Amino acid sequence: MKKLSTLILLLFLCISCTHKKQLDENTNISDFNLNWGFHLSQDNLDINTINQNKFRNLNLPHDWVVEQEFDSTLVYDAKATGYLAGKGYGYYRKTFDKKYNENEVTYIHFDGIYNNSEVYINGTKLGFHPYGYSPFYFDITPYLNKNGTSNIIEVKIDHTRYADSRWYTGAGIYRNVELITKNKLHIPVWGTYLTTPTATKQKATVQIDISVKNNFSSEEKTTIKTVIVDKNNNQITSVENELSLDGNSQKNITQSLDLVNPELWDIENPYLFKAITSISKGTEIVDSYTTPFGIRDIKFDADKGFFLNGKNMKIKGVCLHHDAGLVGTAVPKGVWKRRLQILKDGGCNAIRISHNPASTEFLELCDEMGFLVQDEFFDEWDNPKDKRFNQNESKSTDYITRGYGEHFQKWAEKDLKNVMLSHRNHPSIFQWSIGNEIEWTYPRNAAATGFFNNMDWNGNYFWSEPPHSTEEIKHQLETLPKGKYDIGQTAHKLANWTKQLDTTRPVTANCILPSASHLSGYADALDVVGYSYRRVLYDYGHKNYPNKPIMGTENLAQYHEWKAIMERPHISGTFLWTGIDYMGEIRDPWPVRVQPSGMLTTAGFPKGSYHMMKTLWNPEPHIHIATQNIEKSLNKLDKNGNIVAKDPEQWKHALWKWQDVNEHWNYNNNEIISVEIYSNCDEIELFLNEKSLGLKKLADFEDHIYKWAVPFSEGKLIAKGKKDGEEIISEIITAAKAAKITLSVEEKNLNANNYDVAHIIAQLVDKNGNPVKTDNREITFEINGNAKLLGVDNGWIKSVQKFQTNKNTTHNGKTLLIIQSMDKTGKVEIKATGENLESEQITIEIK
């Protein structure tokens, strides 16, 4: 009897373990990124007739544009592309085995293809998908080979309109692909919607709406059970319901659970739960679906700003495009993680995905790392934008610049809803943005404000209120000729589609002409109105529209921008343009390849604006020393020999680019150097070779920048600061000529999974190990081991060296190499050499 009891207990434990495994793992989702073939052609080919030997093997995600050479002949079109030509037709092919089971369904899910893609399975066209940023999927069950072997999935991409956006887009299957196999009785793709109607530290109500699909022809009776587990996979609570479905039907069911004293998701503690929903027939679990989620409460108040979990806080956000330097738009998760961590360290707590929806991986990182996210749907609505110059739409009529605008009428609802269904369970998302700077594509909205084509007005768009009164703007909107489409009507249409799928988050938009948008019907469709470069209108907007929450949604990484927000409780915060430099949207001549408004370079190296915002956003004491020859700087010596700004008012009107400053202490003897220090310390004393150059207080600098005029002398410049009684020291030192190369890497262990990445920074140093920032050398990286070279990038805006190579010239003495693990374990050894310099070898373990 004792043996029988033991056997029963063991059997119960085994069943319990098996049940837990089925609940905890989405075993029906397969990675479908590996072993694809790719062929790029300038010809429009029948994909089914391309010879297999034309395809080269690669893994997804893949961006074929970033593989190209920078090309100066693209001058005119490079206003959009960043001098990388992506023109052509891309053809992808993958052969796979899939055991046939008459009780199963199979979906293929694409998180993003850029763009105008056609998908085929075994010669049958599944469909066309034009938008490059919205996810989509197909049911491929009817087309799979019944013998279970040699299925062929093919994707054709038409990117002959290679300047179809105002920034670098890349091209290809640049986001993840999954093969999803389920029982015919199942939760379909994006089939859950989880909300927390009550979210306090004492109690949370979790509501989960579940779609259940029955692809059997017979009626099916099932049990739907949802288990809530914490971050350690410990079960907290559960609920279950019985459900009956007719054959070939779909039903929705709502379940509700209460959690006592739950951990809340916020930017400092991004705590994530999982809701594991299973479908059972009798004792058999036939499908499971895991929904990660966070419990949090958001609120916007027209007078007091933004609240997260009842706490009033400022949104310290940046705008980001979807490219990431040397990897283009096929961005490994680890690359985004490094970039986001640098921004997080600088005090950033929010990301605006501009001007398109994010990838699932990006949102997962934001969930995990504690970023608020504004997910943006579109950059174009009814009317197209000029891709090269902005606001010259009459010139944007040629073939290569035709973009999403030509698909908007037919596809906007489907794309918007696909994005929402895929993204709405992410706790990081706290706003849906229906559009970016749309107003100027509707001519009467631009004309009504009086900013443009007004010979009687002598103001400046950035710093002046509208020349027309609100009454005059309203009159102009009522009397000026209307186009085919009305901006207010379209805005309401988009907002209504959004609220059909989610009412827990506010709808917003980035308004470049809010003075018109408040009166055109556009702002009426918005819960929060975003002002683009219009901080001068913060008081104007609050006075004239006191019940409408407003905030900055595209602003400048300058002190004056944040000062305006801190002085106004009714402004929730901002998104600065941009967090990181991005390719395209170029305004300068060759060889400038990027839009250099970022706080970080394309290599993720911080600029002066990063350090300025860190002093404003991060409460931890921070000092950054910047230097420049005084003639080249923004400063001068007055008649008393004191350092002052050449233009005392200039800081109030600084735009996208940070001033030209250096991070070194290498000049000519006795040359007068302007020393700028960006800091949040209350006071700083500066020393040169242990001699004090004076103690100064931050309160004495209206522009929030400490300044000294220092005759150069070789040695060490040291800044000693105090903040709230805490002391901090920063220094720079004169470097001799470069004597060797140092390599540094944070990711010393990678998994052999074809995805993990390591960032290796090469820095020139002198014989004493001091960083050399005034000398640049071509470096060659030697990589031995089972790792893939992703590329090199020094971050310089004028560097037009090819990314995907092992050679790069340093800028400010350094450059970045990224490698990616493959599928074998072992050691990867990396060394750098160049122009009689070499580094020590570093080793990365692939496990």
Side-chain angles (χ1 to χ4, degrees):
M1 185 69 182
K2 186 176 181 180
K3 287 185 179 179
L4 180 61
S5 299
T6 302
L7 285 172
I8 292 172
L9 176 61
L10 287 172
L11 180 62
F12 173 77
L13 289 173
C14 288
I15 292 172
S16 298
C17 290
T18 303
H19 179 69
K20 189 175 191 312
K21 183 177 180 182
Q22 284 180 300
L23 287 180
D24 284 354
E25 298 177 9
N26 274 332
T27 54
N28 49 24
I29 300 177
S30 302
D31 182 338
F32 209 58
N33 286 333
L34 305 182
N35 299 315
W36 285 73
F38 172 70
H39 175 61
L40 178 63
S41 174
Q42 297 306 308
D43 298 321
N44 187 0
L45 307 174
D46 181 345
I47 193 169
N48 297 304
T49 64
I50 304 174
N51 193 298
Q52 186 60 35
N53 62 22
K54 294 278 189 181
F55 289 82
R56 63 181 173 94
N57 188 261
L58 52 76
N59 294 335
L60 305 178
H62 174 240
D63 173 6
W64 84 65
V65 183
V66 79
E67 300 172 348
Q68 311 302 313
E69 301 271 359
F70 288 97
D71 184 353
S72 63
T73 66
L74 294 172
V75 172
Y76 184 59
D77 301 325
K79 298 293 181 183
T81 65
Y83 296 112
L84 287 173
K87 182 180 180 181
Y89 297 90
Y91 302 91
Y92 292 86
R93 179 181 292 170
K94 178 180 173 70
T95 301
F96 65 101
D97 294 340
K98 178 65 182 171
K99 185 178 180 181
Y100 178 75
N101 185 329
E102 65 178 2
N103 294 323
E104 291 180 342
V105 294
T106 302
Y107 302 98
I108 187 167
H109 170 256
F110 296 94
D111 201 39
I113 299 178
Y114 207 89
N115 61 345
N116 295 314
S117 59
E118 300 173 7
V119 182
Y120 299 80
I121 178 73
N122 293 328
T124 298
K125 184 176 178 179
L126 295 170
F128 169 68
H129 191 81
Y131 197 31
Y133 301 109
S134 58
F136 62 102
Y137 65 91
F138 295 109
D139 182 350
I140 62 174
T141 312
Y143 313 105
L144 292 172
N145 293 328
K146 297 301 185 288
N147 63 12
T149 63
S150 301
N151 293 286
I152 300 176
I153 193 85
E154 294 171 303
V155 178
K156 175 183 177 180
I157 297 169
D158 178 358
H159 198 237
T160 52
R161 304 166 189 82
Y162 66 96
D164 65 345
S165 184
R166 298 181 300 125
W167 56 85
Y168 177 86
T169 64
I173 309 179
Y174 73 105
R175 293 181 179 174
N176 290 322
V177 185
E178 296 172 332
L179 200 69
I180 302 170
T181 302
K182 289 177 169 283
N183 187 276
K184 283 188 174 181
L185 181 63
H186 64 283
I187 300 170
V189 180
W190 313 327
T192 63
Y193 174 39
L194 195 146
T195 56
T196 53
T198 302
T200 69
K201 292 180 180 179
Q202 292 74 39
K203 177 185 175 182
T205 300
V206 179
Q207 179 176 303
I208 182 165
D209 297 315
I210 306 161
S211 296
V212 184
K213 192 172 186 179
N214 178 20
N215 280 27
F216 289 105
S217 58
S218 58
E219 180 187 13
E220 298 291 333
K221 298 183 185 297
T222 182
T223 301
I224 313 298
K225 181 177 182 179
T226 295
V227 176
I228 304 296
V229 301
D230 64 16
K231 67 178 182 180
N232 298 314
N233 285 327
N234 297 314
Q235 180 174 329
I236 300 173
T237 186
S238 65
V239 63
E240 64 180 64
N241 300 89
E242 304 298 320
L243 184 67
S244 178
L245 289 90
D246 293 335
N248 297 310
S249 68
Q250 183 167 320
K251 280 187 178 180
N252 297 328
I253 184 173
T254 298
Q255 295 180 327
S256 184
L257 308 95
D258 289 332
L259 277 65
V260 178
N261 300 324
E263 289 271 6
L264 300 183
W265 185 98
D266 63 30
I267 58 174
E268 295 169 352
N269 178 35
Y271 194 95
L272 295 173
F273 296 88
K274 286 188 289 187
I276 304 171
T277 304
S278 61
I279 299 179
S280 300
K281 292 173 64 176
T283 59
E284 180 187 7
I285 295 177
V286 297
D287 188 36
S288 68
Y289 197 105
T290 299
T291 309
F293 71 97
I295 298 170
R296 52 103 180 108
D297 177 72
I298 56 175
K299 177 187 174 183
F300 284 86
D301 184 273
D303 295 315
K304 298 178 181 179
F306 175 66
F307 294 79
L308 177 62
N309 299 326
K311 179 182 177 182
N312 189 215
M313 58 173 281
K314 293 293 188 183
I315 297 162
K316 304 170 182 176
V318 299
C319 302
L320 290 180
H321 273 310
H322 71 304
D323 65 318
L326 66 92
V327 296
T329 57
V331 188
K333 193 172 185 178
V335 171
W336 273 129
K337 186 173 183 178
R338 170 182 175 258
R339 290 169 160 240
L340 290 174
Q341 188 60 58
I342 295 170
L343 292 170
K344 186 89 172 177
D345 293 342
C348 175
N349 62 24
I351 306 293
R352 172 178 171 234
I353 311 300
S354 42
H355 303 291
N356 46 261
S359 70
T360 297
E361 276 193 333
F362 186 93
L363 294 173
E364 288 171 350
L365 278 172
C366 292
D367 292 342
E368 296 161 8
M369 298 177 71
F371 285 96
L372 298 165
V373 173
Q374 182 190 108
D375 212 4
E376 193 156 70
F377 298 135
F378 305 117
D379 187 52
E380 287 184 325
W381 287 1
D382 302 303
N383 304 313
K385 286 186 176 179
D386 170 52
K387 307 308 188 300
R388 298 186 179 95
F389 303 108
N390 286 354
Q391 299 186 56
N392 288 278
E393 276 64 39
S394 62
K395 298 179 181 178
S396 187
T397 56
D398 55 336
Y399 179 81
I400 66 167
T401 61
R402 285 165 50 193
Y404 185 69
E406 65 182 19
H407 300 291
F408 181 81
Q409 306 304 324
K410 180 178 179 181
W411 284 88
E413 181 177 9
K414 182 174 179 59
D415 287 323
L416 182 152
K417 290 184 174 180
N418 273 14
V419 170
M420 292 190 66
L421 289 168
S422 176
H423 292 181
R424 61 184 178 176
N425 290 319
H426 290 278
S428 55
I429 296 177
F430 79 129
Q431 292 177 322
W432 301 111
S433 172
I434 58 175
N436 168 64
E437 295 185 347
I438 297 295
E439 293 100 319
W440 78 65
T441 63
Y442 299 80
R444 71 189 185 100
N445 291 270
T449 63
F451 280 121
F452 311 111
N453 302 319
N454 183 353
M455 296 179 64
D456 297 326
W457 184 63
N458 295 313
N460 181 288
Y461 167 79
F462 286 96
W463 320 119
S464 303
E465 290 192 5
H468 289 168
S469 66
T470 55
E471 293 78 12
E472 178 61 20
I473 293 172
K474 185 176 181 181
H475 172 72
Q476 293 281 346
L477 288 169
E478 290 172 349
T479 57
L480 285 169
K482 294 185 177 182
K484 181 178 180 181
Y485 302 104
D486 179 82
I487 192 171
Q489 292 175 1
T490 299
H492 279 278
K493 179 171 63 176
L494 295 171
N496 289 339
W497 290 339
T498 304
K499 291 179 183 295
Q500 286 174 19
L501 295 183
D502 182 23
T503 58
T504 69
R505 300 171 175 93
V507 174
T508 189
N510 186 45
C511 297
I512 193 70
L513 292 170
S515 52
S517 294
H518 277 293
L519 296 166
S520 66
Y522 187 1
D524 295 338
L526 308 177
D527 303 305
V528 178
V529 184
Y531 282 20
S532 186
Y533 304 110
R534 302 302 283 130
R535 71 160 173 82
V536 71
L537 292 189
Y538 288 161
D539 295 333
Y540 167 100
H542 191 52
K543 175 185 176 182
N544 290 301
Y545 312 99
N547 298 320
K548 183 69 73 170
I550 59 177
M551 65 174 290
T553 42
E554 187 167 322
N555 301 96
L556 305 154
Q558 300 285 350
Y559 171 61
H560 64 75
E561 201 76 73
W562 189 246
K563 182 175 183 290
I565 292 167
M566 290 304 296
E567 293 171 345
R568 292 165 175 81
H570 64 278
I571 301 299
S572 300
T574 185
F575 291 98
L576 302 179
W577 192 265
T578 54
I580 307 174
D581 284 349
Y582 61 95
M583 291 192 287
E585 204 167 7
I586 296 167
R587 297 294 177 263
D588 298 310
W590 172 271
V592 173
R593 63 177 170 88
V594 302
Q595 218 299 330
S597 58
M599 292 158 53
L600 308 178
T601 70
T602 53
F605 300 148
K607 303 185 195 177
S609 54
Y610 172 85
H611 293 286
M612 170 55 80
M613 299 315 299
K614 184 172 182 176
T615 71
L616 301 171
W617 284 357
N618 192 326
E620 297 297 318
H622 181 62
I623 292 176
H624 178 74
I625 305 172
T627 65
Q628 185 53 278
N629 174 288
I630 199 161
E631 284 78 17
K632 295 180 181 179
S633 77
L634 298 181
N635 305 311
K636 66 178 181 179
L637 295 178
D638 66 13
K639 62 183 179 180
N640 298 316
N642 299 314
I643 186 169
V644 296
K646 293 173 182 174
D647 178 358
E649 300 294 305
Q650 183 170 348
W651 70 272
K652 299 178 182 179
H653 302 111
L655 292 173
W656 292 277
K657 295 181 183 178
W658 196 252
Q659 56 258 40
D660 181 15
V661 290
N662 302 311
E663 296 183 353
H664 62 74
W665 190 241
N666 281 73
Y667 294 95
N668 299 317
N669 281 337
N670 297 317
E671 186 179 5
I672 302 300
I673 304 303
S674 168
V675 177
E676 298 182 355
I677 295 184
Y678 317 135
S679 179
N680 52 9
C681 289
D682 304 314
E683 61 183 37
I684 290 178
E685 188 172 8
L686 189 65
F687 296 83
L688 177 57
N689 298 327
E690 300 184 359
K691 178 183 178 181
S692 176
L693 302 177
L695 176 76
K696 299 190 178 186
K697 295 184 181 298
L698 185 59
D700 295 332
F701 295 95
E702 188 182 18
D703 61 357
H704 204 76
I705 298 176
Y706 285 96
K707 302 176 189 67
W708 280 265
V710 182
F712 176 76
S713 179
E714 184 177 308
K716 186 180 292 185
L717 196 66
I718 301 176
K720 297 182 179 181
K722 287 185 179 180
K723 183 176 188 291
D724 300 326
E726 183 178 348
E727 295 186 355
I728 181 176
I729 296 176
S730 181
E731 64 182 44
I732 55 176
I733 190 168
T734 305
K737 69 176 183 179
K740 62 179 180 178
I741 306 164
T742 61
L743 299 181
S744 59
V745 61
E746 293 183 4
E747 308 97 337
K748 296 179 180 178
N749 295 285
L750 305 180
N751 293 309
N753 59 9
N754 292 295
Y755 293 107
D756 281 7
V757 296
H759 297 80
I760 298 95
I761 297 174
Q763 173 71 60
L764 305 182
V765 297
D766 65 15
K767 62 181 180 181
N768 297 316
N770 299 314
V772 176
K773 300 183 180 181
T774 56
D775 189 9
N776 292 302
R777 309 287 183 90
E778 183 180 80
I779 288 178
T780 300
F781 292 97
E782 299 174 11
I783 304 167
N784 296 305
N786 195 48
K788 176 184 177 182
L789 168 76
L790 289 185
V792 286
D793 182 11
N794 63 22
W796 188 33
I797 65 173
K798 293 184 178 180
S799 174
V800 288
Q801 294 175 285
K802 185 177 172 65
F803 283 135
Q804 297 191 358
T805 177
N806 67 331
K807 293 184 178 182
N808 194 243
T809 302
T810 61
H811 179 62
N812 294 332
K814 64 182 175 181
T815 193
L816 171 72
L817 162 75
I818 304 180
I819 64 168
Q820 187 171 49
S821 68
M822 297 171 74
D823 57 358
K824 292 184 176 64
T825 60
K827 294 181 178 180
V828 177
E829 297 171 335
I830 302 168
K831 187 176 180 181
T833 59
E835 301 183 35
N836 299 317
L837 304 177
E838 65 178 25
S839 72
E840 294 181 352
Q841 182 173 282
I842 63 170
T843 301
I844 296 172
E845 294 281 350
I846 310 291
K847 298 182 177 180

